């Protein structure tokens, strides 16, 4: 009887993981490419993390609103998703396939509510946008921006880091450096995406993540480019401390966002409001190949 239960659970978990993979395939070719560069022991776990945070993000970015839910109902839907996630972390099971896949990863890697709670707090902030107020955009000052970025992006980097270093004996100094680098990389990714999504965030969603003014100026854009480059440099410096089978993927993702930053630097603010900055697929493939080559030449530590 126990064998049958184990087999049923394993089959359900594999099904949940396939669902998580479909989320990545539908929403992010770039993230999917980076995941393929991870060692096999990391790959599915990172896909499971991505799927959960993506579903939560979609929940607050218009899916529930377009389904006709009132603001109160949207908030209830998010609360249900949060409660079910934390219940699954505790018991190791959910009937929601995406949450179930994430729970298996969280329990294997030591991801707990110290990381999930800040993430969901940022998702709740997004529900406080224009649709929940008088019609004015939700504006983030420096402190609000920092708190939002920590919850929405830095903790996701820290979740991935826990996957990468599980089973490794890492001294306190290296662990602190890796945590700092993971946070800085998550922040850089988020700030780049804020610049890429200026029109959608401000016009459709009613959120101004990059300041309290109604419109970003070119001077502001260059200040953010400088900030992002500093964040990317801090993250790049600690890549050699990662387990060898995680480095190529992290390096590839970092260099893709560095390339996006260069394109943002050479775009005017008006251009950023008109179109999302992208890197052609052939260029992404070249970045990935160079990341693999650079990692191959490094010692395996």
């Amino acid at each position: 009887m126990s064998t049958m239960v184990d087999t049923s659970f394993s089959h359900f978990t594999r099904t949940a993981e396939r669902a998580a993979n479909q989320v990545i395939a539908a929403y992010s070719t770039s993230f999917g490419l980076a995941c393929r560069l991870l060692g096999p022991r990391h790959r599915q776990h990172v896909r499971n993390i991505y799927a959960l945070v993506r579903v939560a993000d979609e929940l607050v970015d218009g899916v529930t609103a377009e389904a006709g839910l009132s603001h109160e109902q949207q908030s209830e839907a998010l609360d249900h998703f949060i409660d079910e996630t934390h219940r699954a972390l505790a018991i190791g099971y959910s009937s929601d396939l995406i949450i179930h896949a994430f729970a298996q990863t969280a329990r294997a890697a030591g991801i707990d509510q110290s990381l999930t709670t800040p993430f969901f707090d940022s998702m709740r902030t997004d529900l406080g946008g224009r649709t929940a107020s008088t019609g004015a955009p939700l504006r983030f000052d420096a402190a609000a921006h920092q708190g939002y970025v920590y919850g929405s992006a830095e903790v996701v980097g820290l979740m991935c880091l826990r996957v990468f270093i599980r089973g490794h004996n890492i001294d306190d100094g290296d662990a602190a450096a890796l945590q700092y680098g993971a946070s800085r990389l998550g922040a850089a990714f988020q700030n780049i995406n804020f610049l890429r999504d200026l029109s959608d965030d401000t016009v459709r969603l009613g959120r101004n993540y990059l300041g309290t003014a109604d419109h970003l100026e070119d001077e502001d854009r260059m200040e953010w480019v400088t900030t992002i480059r500093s964040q990317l440099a801090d993250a790049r410096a600690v890549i050699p401390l990662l387990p060898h089978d995680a480095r190529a993927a992290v390096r590839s993702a970092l260099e893709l966002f560095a390339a996006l930053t260069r394109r943002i630097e050479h775009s005017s603010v008006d251009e950023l409001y008109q179109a999302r900055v992208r890197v052609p697929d052939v260029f992404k493939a070249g970045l990935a190949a160079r990341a693999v080559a650079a990692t191959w030449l490094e010692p395996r530590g």
Side-chain angles (χ1 to χ4, degrees):
M1 186 70 175
S2 60
T3 301
M4 184 180 298
V5 172
D6 290 342
T7 299
S8 298
F9 184 84
S10 297
H11 181 71
F12 185 82
T13 298
R14 289 193 300 272
T15 303
E17 290 172 346
R18 287 194 290 271
N21 295 346
Q22 287 299 312
V23 173
I24 293 178
Y27 283 101
S28 179
T29 56
S30 298
F31 196 85
L33 174 61
C35 277
R36 288 195 292 274
L37 299 181
L38 286 168
R41 71 190 187 97
H42 303 312
R43 200 174 296 143
Q44 189 62 57
H45 284 308
V46 173
R47 288 170 175 164
N48 294 346
I49 292 170
Y50 176 87
L52 181 103
V53 301
R54 187 71 203 206
V55 169
D57 195 51
E58 290 300 311
L59 190 158
V60 301
D61 275 358
V63 170
T64 51
E66 291 176 19
L69 275 65
S70 67
H71 181 264
E72 181 180 359
Q73 290 170 326
Q74 293 173 47
S75 182
E76 289 172 354
L78 178 60
D79 287 342
H80 174 76
F81 192 81
I82 294 169
D83 290 344
E84 181 62 14
T85 299
H86 288 157
R87 188 180 76 88
L89 291 184
I91 68 174
Y93 166 79
S94 174
S95 59
D96 182 307
L97 291 173
I98 299 304
I99 291 175
H100 180 80
F102 175 78
Q104 304 316 298
T105 290
R107 288 163 69 89
I111 296 168
D112 55 24
Q113 290 192 38
S114 69
L115 297 180
T116 58
T117 295
F119 171 75
F120 286 128
D121 285 346
S122 287
M123 296 302 98
R124 280 199 181 94
T125 299
D126 280 338
L127 281 182
R130 176 157 46 214
T131 55
S133 63
T134 60
L138 180 66
R139 295 182 174 90
F140 290 73
D141 60 19
H145 174 92
Q146 183 177 5
Y148 180 87
V149 169
Y150 174 75
S152 65
E154 292 183 37
V155 298
V156 178
L158 293 169
M159 290 180 196
C160 292
L161 177 62
R162 291 196 185 184
V163 166
F164 299 153
I165 65 174
R166 73 193 192 286
H168 285 261
N169 292 319
I170 299 175
D171 67 43
D172 291 344
D174 285 352
L178 284 167
Q179 289 167 15
Y180 180 70
S183 292
R184 295 285 279 177
L185 188 59
F189 287 178
Q190 186 68 290
N191 286 325
I192 291 165
N193 281 332
F194 287 154
L195 289 166
R196 298 174 73 201
D197 295 332
L198 278 176
S199 179
D200 192 52
D201 286 343
T202 56
V203 176
R204 182 175 71 88
L205 297 174
R207 304 170 193 156
N208 188 343
Y209 293 110
L210 296 178
T212 57
D214 290 335
H215 192 276
L216 201 71
E217 301 296 335
D218 278 316
E219 181 180 352
D220 303 318
R221 171 182 57 85
M222 287 309 302
E223 288 180 1
W224 281 112
V225 166
T226 299
T227 295
I228 290 164
R229 284 194 167 137
S230 175
Q231 292 167 337
L232 290 174
D234 289 339
R236 187 182 287 112
V238 303
I239 288 177
L241 298 179
L242 286 168
H244 197 271
D245 58 357
R247 294 179 202 167
V250 174
R251 185 173 277 126
S252 175
L254 188 154
E255 296 307 336
L256 169 60
F257 276 81
L260 287 166
T261 304
R262 290 191 292 272
R263 288 173 180 252
I264 289 169
E265 180 182 19
H266 296 294
S267 302
S268 69
V269 166
D270 287 343
E271 289 171 329
L272 294 179
Y273 274 107
Q274 292 169 9
R276 198 170 197 258
V277 174
R278 299 183 184 276
V279 170
D281 287 345
V282 65
F283 192 74
K284 292 178 187 177
L287 290 172
R290 286 193 288 275
V292 170
T295 303
W296 182 262
L297 296 172
E298 292 177 336
R300 294 178 179 269

